[in-house]
Amino acid sequence: MVSQLEKHATSLNSNVARSSPVVVSEEAEALSHSETTMKLTPSFELFQLLEEFEGGKAPPSMSGNALRTPIQNGKDTLAGFDLSEYLQNPKLIEALPDPFKMVEKELQPFSDSIKELVSTDQPILSMAAKHFFEKRHGKRFRPTIVQLVAKAVAAATPDTGVPSGNVQWSGASTLAEPVTPENHQGSDVWRRQAQLGQIVEMIHVASLIHDDVLDEADTRRGGEAVHKLYSNKVAVLAGDYLLARASVLLARLENTAVVQIMATALESLVAGEIMQLKSPPETLLEMETYLRKSYYKTASLICYACRSTALLGGHVYDSAAATACEEFGFHLGLAYQIQDDILDFTAAASVLGKPALADMDLGLSTAPILYAAQETPSLRALVMRRFKKKGDKQAALEALYKSVTAMDKARALARFHAQVSFDFTFGT
């Protein structure tokens, strides 16, 4: 995995070498691998980042994407689904089932018990750790996705005929009986998949607490950030404690492949933060750099959780079902982040739950600004110096709002990833 992560890839649109966000050397990482450990490849090397007209291309077939299964007409009710039609007609969207309500009752016991799972004998640490699970629990987007994917893979028949000696064809949990839509809910498989949803939420919340300390943010989810309520020290310890608890619960799933995959998700979160802080100025103008960072910081946790859900359901790592799960999570995670970045410019702080224009305050350029910079050359120098000079942010905003294409291009990029997430099925 790390050998892939540590490559200095060439930009699709320039010859500028990209610095690696990984903090472990290739030699050091090689020492931890053996013939029986999986070599994971980052999802952005398995699946497509950009549309063809922007320089994107489908990655070559390799372990992790070799069994991608396109939807076949007549075999899937979503065949031919066009997301644009729904975006243009709100009534079509209103007619769709609410994904949160589809699993609301199933998630409720696990949502209630997560507060107890992070309790500790230290009162201040316990209050800080439980803050986002009690008063500011948010939409529980990630546990909902895990539960929905669990339902989907329960309807897919696990692959058989595992190639001898192929480690990538390992990883499936051993099941007492095959999982079906009829026996899934209430089963041991269902319980472990729901527990994975809890673990993913713990990791996500820990990353929010740590990010707020690094970014010196005042608010989160419409209330005060944990470090503002307590202190930086308490916030850092609370985040560390959540990661420790998540690690213990992850081990209790008793699937070493899932442990490795989700540990890689943790590594990706750190890699994304380093990439955000240390990317060379020239790379800050590249859309691919922005998308890779978005993968590390947001999409990686979602897509690795989706593939892990398939493994817990009895599907091997390289199966069509597990691959479809990761690809779905990859594109959904990127669409989610791009749309969040658009809202940073178009929505009020009360809607976002955090200050508007927060990314620019941190010197970060997201899709809308990058597209505006393609149209307005004078904006590029501001992006490369991270808006550090007086008047830079105002000038960038003016360029963005004067642009007739930048915001539309950003929305189109989000739609591309959202659409692709529908274009592959679980092989049913």
PDB file of all heavy atoms in Angstrom, residues 179-199:
ATOM      1  N   VAL A 179     -25.746 -15.078   4.731  1.00  0.00           N
ATOM      2  CA  VAL A 179     -26.598 -13.935   5.050  1.00  0.00           C
ATOM      3  C   VAL A 179     -27.537 -13.665   3.890  1.00  0.00           C
ATOM      4  O   VAL A 179     -27.131 -13.669   2.723  1.00  0.00           O
ATOM      5  CB  VAL A 179     -25.748 -12.687   5.342  1.00  0.00           C
ATOM      6  CG1 VAL A 179     -26.633 -11.476   5.595  1.00  0.00           C
ATOM      7  CG2 VAL A 179     -24.855 -12.925   6.541  1.00  0.00           C
ATOM      8  N   THR A 180     -28.790 -13.437   4.207  1.00  0.00           N
ATOM      9  CA  THR A 180     -29.796 -13.074   3.210  1.00  0.00           C
ATOM     10  C   THR A 180     -30.560 -11.860   3.718  1.00  0.00           C
ATOM     11  O   THR A 180     -30.501 -11.534   4.919  1.00  0.00           O
ATOM     12  CB  THR A 180     -30.788 -14.223   2.979  1.00  0.00           C
ATOM     13  OG1 THR A 180     -31.546 -14.429   4.181  1.00  0.00           O
ATOM     14  CG2 THR A 180     -30.063 -15.516   2.609  1.00  0.00           C
ATOM     15  N   PRO A 181     -31.287 -11.166   2.852  1.00  0.00           N
ATOM     16  CA  PRO A 181     -32.095 -10.032   3.334  1.00  0.00           C
ATOM     17  C   PRO A 181     -33.090 -10.441   4.413  1.00  0.00           C
ATOM     18  O   PRO A 181     -33.445  -9.627   5.271  1.00  0.00           O
ATOM     19  CB  PRO A 181     -32.812  -9.558   2.060  1.00  0.00           C
ATOM     20  CG  PRO A 181     -31.902  -9.970   0.938  1.00  0.00           C
ATOM     21  CD  PRO A 181     -31.318 -11.282   1.376  1.00  0.00           C
ATOM     22  N   GLU A 182     -33.521 -11.710   4.385  1.00  0.00           N
ATOM     23  CA  GLU A 182     -34.525 -12.170   5.339  1.00  0.00           C
ATOM     24  C   GLU A 182     -33.946 -12.406   6.737  1.00  0.00           C
ATOM     25  O   GLU A 182     -34.613 -12.155   7.748  1.00  0.00           O
ATOM     26  CB  GLU A 182     -35.186 -13.466   4.837  1.00  0.00           C
ATOM     27  CG  GLU A 182     -36.060 -13.292   3.605  1.00  0.00           C
ATOM     28  CD  GLU A 182     -35.275 -13.030   2.331  1.00  0.00           C
ATOM     29  OE1 GLU A 182     -34.131 -13.539   2.231  1.00  0.00           O
ATOM     30  OE2 GLU A 182     -35.793 -12.313   1.434  1.00  0.00           O
ATOM     31  N   ASN A 183     -32.688 -12.919   6.814  1.00  0.00           N
ATOM     32  CA  ASN A 183     -32.134 -13.240   8.142  1.00  0.00           C
ATOM     33  C   ASN A 183     -31.083 -12.237   8.609  1.00  0.00           C
ATOM     34  O   ASN A 183     -30.453 -12.438   9.647  1.00  0.00           O
ATOM     35  CB  ASN A 183     -31.535 -14.656   8.146  1.00  0.00           C
ATOM     36  CG  ASN A 183     -30.280 -14.773   7.265  1.00  0.00           C
ATOM     37  OD1 ASN A 183     -29.717 -13.783   6.806  1.00  0.00           O
ATOM     38  ND2 ASN A 183     -29.854 -16.012   7.037  1.00  0.00           N
ATOM     39  N   HIS A 184     -30.869 -11.161   7.842  1.00  0.00           N
ATOM     40  CA  HIS A 184     -29.777 -10.237   8.148  1.00  0.00           C
ATOM     41  C   HIS A 184     -30.005  -9.463   9.446  1.00  0.00           C
ATOM     42  O   HIS A 184     -29.179  -9.492  10.359  1.00  0.00           O
ATOM     43  CB  HIS A 184     -29.601  -9.256   6.974  1.00  0.00           C
ATOM     44  CG  HIS A 184     -28.526  -8.237   7.197  1.00  0.00           C
ATOM     45  ND1 HIS A 184     -28.756  -6.875   7.143  1.00  0.00           N
ATOM     46  CD2 HIS A 184     -27.208  -8.368   7.497  1.00  0.00           C
ATOM     47  CE1 HIS A 184     -27.635  -6.220   7.381  1.00  0.00           C
ATOM     48  NE2 HIS A 184     -26.686  -7.099   7.602  1.00  0.00           N
ATOM     49  N   GLN A 185     -31.147  -8.770   9.544  1.00  0.00           N
ATOM     50  CA  GLN A 185     -31.377  -7.943  10.726  1.00  0.00           C
ATOM     51  C   GLN A 185     -31.460  -8.802  11.992  1.00  0.00           C
ATOM     52  O   GLN A 185     -32.160  -9.800  12.044  1.00  0.00           O
ATOM     53  CB  GLN A 185     -32.664  -7.131  10.584  1.00  0.00           C
ATOM     54  CG  GLN A 185     -32.860  -6.135  11.735  1.00  0.00           C
ATOM     55  CD  GLN A 185     -33.994  -5.159  11.468  1.00  0.00           C
ATOM     56  OE1 GLN A 185     -34.466  -5.043  10.343  1.00  0.00           O
ATOM     57  NE2 GLN A 185     -34.435  -4.461  12.496  1.00  0.00           N
ATOM     58  N   GLY A 186     -30.707  -8.400  13.003  1.00  0.00           N
ATOM     59  CA  GLY A 186     -30.671  -9.128  14.262  1.00  0.00           C
ATOM     60  C   GLY A 186     -29.609 -10.210  14.322  1.00  0.00           C
ATOM     61  O   GLY A 186     -29.371 -10.775  15.393  1.00  0.00           O
ATOM     62  N   SER A 187     -28.970 -10.494  13.191  1.00  0.00           N
ATOM     63  CA  SER A 187     -27.939 -11.531  13.154  1.00  0.00           C
ATOM     64  C   SER A 187     -26.627 -11.015  13.727  1.00  0.00           C
ATOM     65  O   SER A 187     -26.454  -9.812  13.954  1.00  0.00           O
ATOM     66  CB  SER A 187     -27.714 -12.009  11.714  1.00  0.00           C
ATOM     67  OG  SER A 187     -27.139 -10.953  10.934  1.00  0.00           O
ATOM     68  N   ASP A 188     -25.695 -11.935  13.942  1.00  0.00           N
ATOM     69  CA  ASP A 188     -24.375 -11.540  14.436  1.00  0.00           C
ATOM     70  C   ASP A 188     -23.648 -10.674  13.405  1.00  0.00           C
ATOM     71  O   ASP A 188     -22.939  -9.733  13.764  1.00  0.00           O
ATOM     72  CB  ASP A 188     -23.542 -12.789  14.744  1.00  0.00           C
ATOM     73  CG  ASP A 188     -22.227 -12.456  15.424  1.00  0.00           C
ATOM     74  OD1 ASP A 188     -22.263 -11.810  16.495  1.00  0.00           O
ATOM     75  OD2 ASP A 188     -21.166 -12.826  14.893  1.00  0.00           O
ATOM     76  N   VAL A 189     -23.848 -10.969  12.137  1.00  0.00           N
ATOM     77  CA  VAL A 189     -23.256 -10.158  11.071  1.00  0.00           C
ATOM     78  C   VAL A 189     -23.792  -8.733  11.136  1.00  0.00           C
ATOM     79  O   VAL A 189     -23.035  -7.755  11.069  1.00  0.00           O
ATOM     80  CB  VAL A 189     -23.561 -10.770   9.687  1.00  0.00           C
ATOM     81  CG1 VAL A 189     -23.159  -9.810   8.564  1.00  0.00           C
ATOM     82  CG2 VAL A 189     -22.824 -12.092   9.534  1.00  0.00           C
ATOM     83  N   TRP A 190     -25.090  -8.601  11.262  1.00  0.00           N
ATOM     84  CA  TRP A 190     -25.742  -7.286  11.366  1.00  0.00           C
ATOM     85  C   TRP A 190     -25.184  -6.507  12.561  1.00  0.00           C
ATOM     86  O   TRP A 190     -24.906  -5.307  12.457  1.00  0.00           O
ATOM     87  CB  TRP A 190     -27.246  -7.504  11.499  1.00  0.00           C
ATOM     88  CG  TRP A 190     -28.057  -6.274  11.778  1.00  0.00           C
ATOM     89  CD1 TRP A 190     -28.483  -5.349  10.867  1.00  0.00           C
ATOM     90  CD2 TRP A 190     -28.572  -5.857  13.046  1.00  0.00           C
ATOM     91  NE1 TRP A 190     -29.221  -4.370  11.501  1.00  0.00           N
ATOM     92  CE2 TRP A 190     -29.292  -4.666  12.838  1.00  0.00           C
ATOM     93  CE3 TRP A 190     -28.493  -6.366  14.345  1.00  0.00           C
ATOM     94  CZ2 TRP A 190     -29.933  -3.980  13.872  1.00  0.00           C
ATOM     95  CZ3 TRP A 190     -29.131  -5.697  15.367  1.00  0.00           C
ATOM     96  CH2 TRP A 190     -29.841  -4.513  15.130  1.00  0.00           C
ATOM     97  N   ARG A 191     -25.014  -7.193  13.694  1.00  0.00           N
ATOM     98  CA  ARG A 191     -24.510  -6.523  14.900  1.00  0.00           C
ATOM     99  C   ARG A 191     -23.096  -6.002  14.674  1.00  0.00           C
ATOM    100  O   ARG A 191     -22.779  -4.865  15.048  1.00  0.00           O
ATOM    101  CB  ARG A 191     -24.536  -7.506  16.083  1.00  0.00           C
ATOM    102  CG  ARG A 191     -23.985  -6.921  17.383  1.00  0.00           C
ATOM    103  CD  ARG A 191     -23.971  -7.971  18.483  1.00  0.00           C
ATOM    104  NE  ARG A 191     -23.156  -9.125  18.133  1.00  0.00           N
ATOM    105  CZ  ARG A 191     -21.824  -9.136  18.209  1.00  0.00           C
ATOM    106  NH1 ARG A 191     -21.157  -8.058  18.614  1.00  0.00           N
ATOM    107  NH2 ARG A 191     -21.147 -10.239  17.884  1.00  0.00           N
ATOM    108  N   ARG A 192     -22.243  -6.798  14.056  1.00  0.00           N
ATOM    109  CA  ARG A 192     -20.861  -6.372  13.839  1.00  0.00           C
ATOM    110  C   ARG A 192     -20.789  -5.231  12.819  1.00  0.00           C
ATOM    111  O   ARG A 192     -19.965  -4.324  12.956  1.00  0.00           O
ATOM    112  CB  ARG A 192     -20.010  -7.555  13.380  1.00  0.00           C
ATOM    113  CG  ARG A 192     -19.840  -8.590  14.469  1.00  0.00           C
ATOM    114  CD  ARG A 192     -18.827  -9.659  14.106  1.00  0.00           C
ATOM    115  NE  ARG A 192     -18.779 -10.686  15.160  1.00  0.00           N
ATOM    116  CZ  ARG A 192     -17.797 -11.541  15.312  1.00  0.00           C
ATOM    117  NH1 ARG A 192     -16.775 -11.524  14.469  1.00  0.00           N
ATOM    118  NH2 ARG A 192     -17.816 -12.430  16.276  1.00  0.00           N
ATOM    119  N   GLN A 193     -21.630  -5.274  11.814  1.00  0.00           N
ATOM    120  CA  GLN A 193     -21.649  -4.182  10.843  1.00  0.00           C
ATOM    121  C   GLN A 193     -22.125  -2.886  11.499  1.00  0.00           C
ATOM    122  O   GLN A 193     -21.583  -1.803  11.222  1.00  0.00           O
ATOM    123  CB  GLN A 193     -22.548  -4.557   9.661  1.00  0.00           C
ATOM    124  CG  GLN A 193     -21.938  -5.631   8.767  1.00  0.00           C
ATOM    125  CD  GLN A 193     -22.928  -6.201   7.773  1.00  0.00           C
ATOM    126  OE1 GLN A 193     -24.130  -6.278   8.041  1.00  0.00           O
ATOM    127  NE2 GLN A 193     -22.431  -6.610   6.608  1.00  0.00           N
ATOM    128  N   ALA A 194     -23.111  -2.984  12.376  1.00  0.00           N
ATOM    129  CA  ALA A 194     -23.569  -1.800  13.096  1.00  0.00           C
ATOM    130  C   ALA A 194     -22.481  -1.279  14.038  1.00  0.00           C
ATOM    131  O   ALA A 194     -22.318  -0.062  14.201  1.00  0.00           O
ATOM    132  CB  ALA A 194     -24.844  -2.115  13.878  1.00  0.00           C
ATOM    133  N   GLN A 195     -21.738  -2.198  14.659  1.00  0.00           N
ATOM    134  CA  GLN A 195     -20.626  -1.784  15.511  1.00  0.00           C
ATOM    135  C   GLN A 195     -19.544  -1.071  14.697  1.00  0.00           C
ATOM    136  O   GLN A 195     -18.931  -0.120  15.164  1.00  0.00           O
ATOM    137  CB  GLN A 195     -20.045  -2.999  16.239  1.00  0.00           C
ATOM    138  CG  GLN A 195     -20.946  -3.519  17.344  1.00  0.00           C
ATOM    139  CD  GLN A 195     -20.438  -4.816  17.964  1.00  0.00           C
ATOM    140  OE1 GLN A 195     -19.690  -5.566  17.332  1.00  0.00           O
ATOM    141  NE2 GLN A 195     -20.852  -5.086  19.192  1.00  0.00           N
ATOM    142  N   LEU A 196     -19.337  -1.535  13.463  1.00  0.00           N
ATOM    143  CA  LEU A 196     -18.401  -0.836  12.587  1.00  0.00           C
ATOM    144  C   LEU A 196     -18.870   0.599  12.356  1.00  0.00           C
ATOM    145  O   LEU A 196     -18.053   1.534  12.334  1.00  0.00           O
ATOM    146  CB  LEU A 196     -18.274  -1.573  11.251  1.00  0.00           C
ATOM    147  CG  LEU A 196     -17.396  -0.890  10.198  1.00  0.00           C
ATOM    148  CD1 LEU A 196     -15.936  -0.825  10.653  1.00  0.00           C
ATOM    149  CD2 LEU A 196     -17.497  -1.616   8.857  1.00  0.00           C
ATOM    150  N   GLY A 197     -20.174   0.785  12.193  1.00  0.00           N
ATOM    151  CA  GLY A 197     -20.709   2.138  12.049  1.00  0.00           C
ATOM    152  C   GLY A 197     -20.389   3.000  13.253  1.00  0.00           C
ATOM    153  O   GLY A 197     -20.051   4.191  13.110  1.00  0.00           O
ATOM    154  N   GLN A 198     -20.484   2.432  14.454  1.00  0.00           N
ATOM    155  CA  GLN A 198     -20.109   3.165  15.670  1.00  0.00           C
ATOM    156  C   GLN A 198     -18.625   3.536  15.646  1.00  0.00           C
ATOM    157  O   GLN A 198     -18.246   4.661  15.991  1.00  0.00           O
ATOM    158  CB  GLN A 198     -20.388   2.304  16.907  1.00  0.00           C
ATOM    159  CG  GLN A 198     -21.852   2.070  17.205  1.00  0.00           C
ATOM    160  CD  GLN A 198     -22.033   1.161  18.409  1.00  0.00           C
ATOM    161  OE1 GLN A 198     -21.352   0.150  18.560  1.00  0.00           O
ATOM    162  NE2 GLN A 198     -22.959   1.522  19.283  1.00  0.00           N
ATOM    163  N   ILE A 199     -17.798   2.591  15.256  1.00  0.00           N
ATOM    164  CA  ILE A 199     -16.344   2.818  15.210  1.00  0.00           C
ATOM    165  C   ILE A 199     -16.018   3.938  14.233  1.00  0.00           C
ATOM    166  O   ILE A 199     -15.204   4.829  14.539  1.00  0.00           O
ATOM    167  CB  ILE A 199     -15.627   1.507  14.810  1.00  0.00           C
ATOM    168  CG1 ILE A 199     -15.762   0.471  15.929  1.00  0.00           C
ATOM    169  CG2 ILE A 199     -14.159   1.766  14.465  1.00  0.00           C
ATOM    170  CD1 ILE A 199     -15.444  -0.948  15.491  1.00  0.00           C
TER     171      ILE A 199
END
